[in-house]
Amino acid sequence: MAISPGQLANWLNEALAISQATSDSSANGLQVDASEPVIKLGFAVDACMDAFVEAKNQGCQMLLCHHGLYWKGDDQRAVGLMGNRISYLIKNGISLWACHLPLDMHPEYGNNAGLATILQIKNRKPFGFYHDLAIGFYGEVEGSPTCSELVQRLNKDIPECKPWVWSFGKKSCKNIGVVSGGGSYAIEEAAKLKLDCLVTGEVFHQDYHTAKELGMNVIVAGHWATETVGILSVGEAVATFFGLESVFINKPTGL
């Protein structure tokens, strides 16, 4: 059964409550409407030509992304690089829907909810405040695993995940915070909450010294890898709801 891009976008917009994330820099929702009825859905972390070409090759009429094409304050003209991308999507009948912070923070479909489940974090509380929104979670893990054991859990369930660790804290970790993507801004928040470890996707050079001086363990699992979790979750949910074929467009950046 074919579904219009608008119908799918409406379901996704409501499921993720995108209207509530007014401080998000992303233009969340349907960004490109190619007006082609959707029989097959693709999911990708990034809206980029690699993903668009693979979506075409896989026979997709719509692509769902975490990082879309349009961001508030950007030049909205379809010229140059943007023009090439938009032209390719329209020419090949591929619509594009994107969702940033609402997908990070959603308690069921979100990147951080998924990471918390993989890491077996219980008694979850809001964490990782960004643009006045708590996009992550923190809580307790039974058995107080080591950072190496937490890494094994991530490797098992996340594609292309290659975590590395700053071991500046306790050898065992009971209280853990998760912030997907570029979540190193939460290192100080984690220390104030006396967490034993922060699991995130990406850090800056200067974060090394912050983590070391605060005695904080940090697991860096990859920006791209930690944000595959949510797009897979919500993509599979909407595909199942509408009875559509679907595919994950696996285009890792290595970052």
Side-chain angles (χ1 to χ4, degrees), residues 73-96:
D74 285 351
D75 188 343
Q76 302 295 305
R77 294 176 297 172
V79 297
L81 182 65
M82 183 67 80
N84 291 338
R85 291 169 168 175
I86 300 296
S87 176
Y88 187 90
L89 290 170
I90 296 296
K91 178 181 176 181
N92 292 287
I94 303 170
S95 297
L96 174 68

Side-chain angles (χ1 to χ4, degrees), residues 43-64:
F43 328 133
V45 174
D46 301 316
C48 59
M49 283 301 297
D50 280 348
F52 301 162
V53 171
E54 185 63 21
K56 176 193 173 184
N57 292 341
Q58 292 285 347
C60 299
Q61 296 80 39
M62 188 166 178
L63 186 63
L64 315 183

Side-chain angles (χ1 to χ4, degrees), residues 152-253:
Q152 289 175 7
R153 296 178 188 181
L154 294 167
N155 283 334
K156 178 177 178 292
D157 290 325
I158 301 178
E160 309 289 343
C161 191
K162 300 174 183 178
W164 48 276
V165 183
W166 284 337
S167 299
F168 297 139
K170 298 178 181 177
K171 290 185 177 181
S172 60
C173 305
K174 181 176 179 61
N175 300 298
I176 300 171
V178 292
V179 181
S180 60
S184 63
Y185 66 87
I187 291 174
E188 291 188 56
E189 183 182 350
K192 289 178 182 178
L193 290 168
K194 300 188 183 304
L195 303 187
D196 302 315
C197 183
L198 170 67
V199 178
T200 188
E202 186 177 0
V203 294
F204 291 102
H205 174 80
Q206 61 267 27
D207 295 323
Y208 174 93
H209 301 289
T210 302
K212 187 173 184 180
E213 292 169 26
L214 291 172
M216 176 61 58
N217 292 319
V218 180
I219 297 176
V220 186
H223 195 132
W224 181 90
T226 58
E227 297 190 333
T228 60
V229 182
I231 201 68
L232 275 165
S233 179
V234 75
E236 290 170 356
V238 68
T240 299
F241 184 86
F242 286 101
L244 298 172
E245 187 179 354
S246 63
V247 62
F248 176 55
I249 307 297
N250 187 7
K251 296 295 178 182
T253 63

Side-chain angles (χ1 to χ4, degrees), residues 29-143:
L30 189 61
Q31 294 192 341
V32 177
D33 186 353
S35 300
E36 188 76 20
V38 181
I39 298 172
K40 186 173 183 179
L41 271 176
F43 328 133
V45 174
D46 301 316
C48 59
M49 283 301 297
D50 280 348
F52 301 162
V53 171
E54 185 63 21
K56 176 193 173 184
N57 292 341
Q58 292 285 347
C60 299
Q61 296 80 39
M62 188 166 178
L63 186 63
L64 315 183
C65 291
H66 179 49
H67 303 131
L69 290 179
Y70 287 107
W71 301 81
K72 296 172 184 175
D74 285 351
D75 188 343
Q76 302 295 305
R77 294 176 297 172
V79 297
L81 182 65
M82 183 67 80
N84 291 338
R85 291 169 168 175
I86 300 296
S87 176
Y88 187 90
L89 290 170
I90 296 296
K91 178 181 176 181
N92 292 287
I94 303 170
S95 297
L96 174 68
W97 176 91
C99 186
H100 188 224
L101 294 185
L103 187 57
D104 284 317
M105 61 190 285
H106 195 274
E108 179 180 359
Y109 301 125
N111 289 316
N112 290 297
L115 288 171
T117 297
I118 289 168
L119 293 165
Q120 302 172 30
I121 297 174
K122 299 182 178 180
N123 301 321
R124 301 174 194 174
K125 299 178 182 64
F127 172 70
F129 282 84
Y130 180 77
H131 287 298
D132 299 322
L133 297 170
I135 66 170
F137 299 97
Y138 78 94
E140 302 171 355
V141 177
E142 291 184 0

